Amino acid sequence: QTTKGDGLSHKLPKGAIRPRPAPTVTDAPMTLAPPRTRLKTKSQNTLPFTAAEFFAGIGLVRLALEKQHWKVLWANDIDPDKAEMYHANFGKSDLVVGDIHKIPAAEIPDCTLYTASFPCNDLSIAGAMAGLSGKESSAFWGLIKILQDKGENRPPLVLLENVVGFLQFNGGKDL
């Protein structure tokens, strides 16, 4: 039996099962979402998906999401200088400038996705190496509290962006 149509042309051993091609986004079952919020594919005309952007900085994650037709409903950063650049790029309507630990979960809209590019100063080999309990990187726990407080209304998807040390620091015991 020869494989065809997947760019490979080699013989499979007798009785072998032909490998399935890798799934695409539209082929993948949408099992990450709780039953109340099934994610729908583009073919079901449900775009744009919605997002909230934590630790937004100047809005690079938002820029990428919007290029893929996502709608960012809410954003947050603690740094007023970064907020000024964010406002210049995206307007002032949805960026909340403040400490994540002081923002009530009820003030954050329900979305399909929460993104978080939390500070890596305490996790990077070039930084303080204080781990997730460090002054800057402990902001991660503020996000976790918001997710817990959202309960049934937390998003079905969460995207964390950080350095490798996030998972490796302290042998992964911080998580």
Side-chain angles (χ1 to χ4, degrees):
Q1 171 179 4
T2 304
T3 61
K4 294 180 184 172
D6 57 4
L8 301 174
S9 181
H10 61 273
K11 290 209 170 232
L12 295 174
K14 187 175 182 172
I17 298 172
R18 185 179 184 281
R20 293 180 55 195
T24 64
V25 171
T26 56
D27 293 335
M30 298 298 179
T31 57
L32 294 176
R36 62 172 179 75
T37 339
R38 299 289 298 178
L39 295 177
K40 296 183 168 93
T41 62
K42 189 173 184 175
S43 64
Q44 293 170 303
N45 293 322
T46 58
L47 292 179
F49 289 128
T50 57
E53 184 182 25
F54 294 85
F55 320 107
I58 63 171
L60 294 177
V61 173
R62 179 180 183 152
L63 183 65
L65 287 171
E66 288 182 346
K67 285 188 177 197
Q68 297 302 314
H69 309 288
W70 285 70
K71 180 168 178 56
V72 176
L73 301 178
W74 185 91
N76 160 257
D77 202 276
I78 195 169
D79 186 332
D81 293 329
K82 290 178 186 171
E84 188 177 327
M85 288 185 270
Y86 192 98
H87 289 269
N89 290 322
F90 303 106
K92 295 188 177 195
S93 62
D94 55 23
L95 178 71
V96 174
V97 180
D99 185 340
I100 185 112
H101 299 284
K102 297 177 182 172
I103 298 172
E107 292 183 11
I108 302 164
D110 296 342
C111 298
T112 311
L113 170 71
Y114 280 5
T115 70
S117 301
F118 57 95
C120 66
N121 312 37
D122 301 311
L123 302 168
S124 169
I125 57 172
M129 298 299 289
L132 288 173
S133 60
K135 181 178 183 241
E136 303 292 330
S137 296
S138 67
F140 168 77
W141 298 114
L143 173 67
I144 296 302
K145 177 158 182 2
I146 287 171
L147 288 168
Q148 290 169 337
D149 290 350
K150 288 296 262 184
E152 293 277 323
N153 293 322
R154 70 181 174 268
L157 301 171
V158 176
L159 171 70
L160 302 176
E161 181 277 322
N162 212 281
V163 296
V164 173
F166 166 61
L167 297 175
Q168 296 177 343
F169 190 83
N170 196 19
K173 294 177 186 167
D174 283 1
L175 296 174

